Amino acid sequence: MQSLAAFAFGVRTHVLQNGPTDAELFEYVFSGDNTVLALSFVVNIVLAGLTILGIAYLGRNLTDPRSKAIATALMLISVVSISSYTGLTSGLTLGVVEMPAGHPAAGATTAGQDGVLVMWGRYLTWTFSTPFILIALGMIAGSNWPKILTTCAFTIAMCVTGLAAALTTSSLVLRWWWFVLGSIFFLVIVYVILVDWTAEAERAGTTDLFRTLKLLTVVGWFGYPILWALGVEGFAILDVAITSWGYSILDVITKYVVTFLAMFYVVDEPDSITGGADYGATMPGLASTDD
């Protein structure tokens, strides 16, 4: 965790060199001309907060430790999201990056600075939240922890390389190479979800739920690299506000919608989900009981 925090601090230092201050970025985002952009942040703060409250309410009567573990993973998705979107709203995790020569947005200015607005805080969101999505999906599919943690490692690598693509200013070729590298990591995760975990869900008896969750997740996740390529960081076909709203809508689908679908299933604690009193115990058979 400390290394990820140090990484985030290093990114912030890199982005803010000779760039606008948080206050200037906050004023830029919440000025009259950028209301659409600001709403793409604020709406997700509200939805993430409601999702956290919804999970707490739905999961209030859970008794099985495995059901609780899935609910906790689902809640942490929105905990990360509300923190990240607050950072974007405040200007803390925004920056202005000058695009390299040959980029369609080269020479653009934002908030009085040379460069385009980069929402690098979104990459922090994905770095911390997508592992919890995969943990929940993997547990619902009945997968083993080595495979779940492997997908988490690949998704972190995917998000970090995506951030590198967004912040690389030295070469247009290197920006796209980072993008390709992250896409390769992404395809590994897609393979695990569509092939390995689909088969495991059939054996676990969670096929119906997992089919819905995997389609929403995989289809939604394909939208992120497409938006990156079409947005200001890629070919600059879409402006910043439209790109931001695209990301926000995808977050709604792949986080909040997926979360509630999973929670409605988990709260009934079906046999396919529950793990029994010994689940997670280091010494099975010695689970504590109330007198």
Side-chain angles (χ1 to χ4, degrees):
M1 185 65 69
Q2 283 185 333
S3 61
L4 284 175
F7 168 73
F9 179 78
V11 170
R12 175 172 165 77
T13 301
H14 170 76
V15 172
L16 292 182
Q17 287 178 346
N18 301 320
T21 64
D22 294 354
E24 290 171 334
L25 288 170
F26 177 83
E27 183 179 355
Y28 172 77
V29 170
F30 281 87
S31 65
D33 295 336
N34 292 307
T35 303
V36 174
L37 175 61
L39 285 175
S40 71
F41 301 154
V42 174
V43 166
N44 266 269
I45 292 176
V46 175
L47 291 177
L50 292 174
T51 302
I52 293 170
L53 294 175
I55 295 171
Y57 177 78
L58 291 171
R60 69 192 185 283
N61 294 322
L62 290 176
T63 59
D64 181 76
R66 191 164 183 269
S67 300
K68 291 180 179 178
I70 295 173
T72 299
L74 292 171
M75 179 179 284
L76 288 173
I77 297 168
S78 292
V79 169
V80 172
S81 292
I82 196 171
S83 303
S84 173
Y85 275 104
T86 300
L88 290 168
T89 302
S90 66
L92 180 67
T93 55
L94 295 174
V96 175
V97 175
E98 190 172 357
M99 294 294 105
H103 189 279
T109 59
T110 302
Q113 301 286 331
D114 292 333
V116 300
L117 185 71
V118 173
M119 299 168 284
W120 62 270
R122 287 191 179 276
Y123 297 91
L124 289 183
T125 307
W126 301 328
T127 300
F128 287 99
S129 65
T130 51
F132 291 121
I133 296 174
L134 291 172
I135 288 172
L137 288 178
M139 292 181 71
I140 290 171
S143 188
N144 58 68
W145 277 106
K147 189 175 295 183
I148 292 174
L149 294 177
T150 298
T151 61
C152 290
F154 269 95
T155 195
I156 291 172
M158 173 187 70
C159 296
V160 171
T161 50
L163 177 59
L167 297 182
T168 296
T169 60
S170 58
S171 166
L172 186 61
V173 173
L174 283 177
R175 284 179 66 88
W176 283 104
W177 165 243
W178 282 119
F179 176 82
V180 170
L181 192 58
S183 298
I184 293 172
F185 297 147
F186 169 61
L187 292 176
V188 172
I189 301 167
V190 169
Y191 176 84
V192 172
I193 294 174
L194 294 183
V195 179
D196 288 4
W197 286 359
T198 297
E200 291 173 347
E202 291 178 359
R203 293 193 293 269
T206 57
T207 301
D208 292 342
L209 172 65
F210 189 76
R211 182 187 299 113
T212 301
L213 296 182
K214 77 176 181 183
L215 288 177
L216 287 172
T217 301
V218 171
V219 172
W221 280 11
F222 265 104
Y224 290 99
I226 292 173
L227 271 175
W228 194 97
L230 296 178
V232 292
E233 295 164 321
F235 294 116
I237 296 173
L238 303 177
D239 64 24
V240 173
I242 297 300
T243 303
S244 183
W245 262 110
Y247 286 140
S248 293
I249 292 171
L250 291 175
D251 278 353
V252 170
I253 296 170
T254 61
K255 294 178 182 176
Y256 316 133
V257 173
V258 165
T259 289
F260 276 111
L261 287 175
M263 275 301 298
F264 285 132
Y265 185 88
V266 170
V267 292
D268 292 329
E269 297 191 321
D271 292 339
S272 57
I273 289 295
T274 56
D278 287 337
Y279 183 80
T282 56
M283 299 180 68
L286 296 180
S288 62
T289 58
D290 294 331
D291 294 330

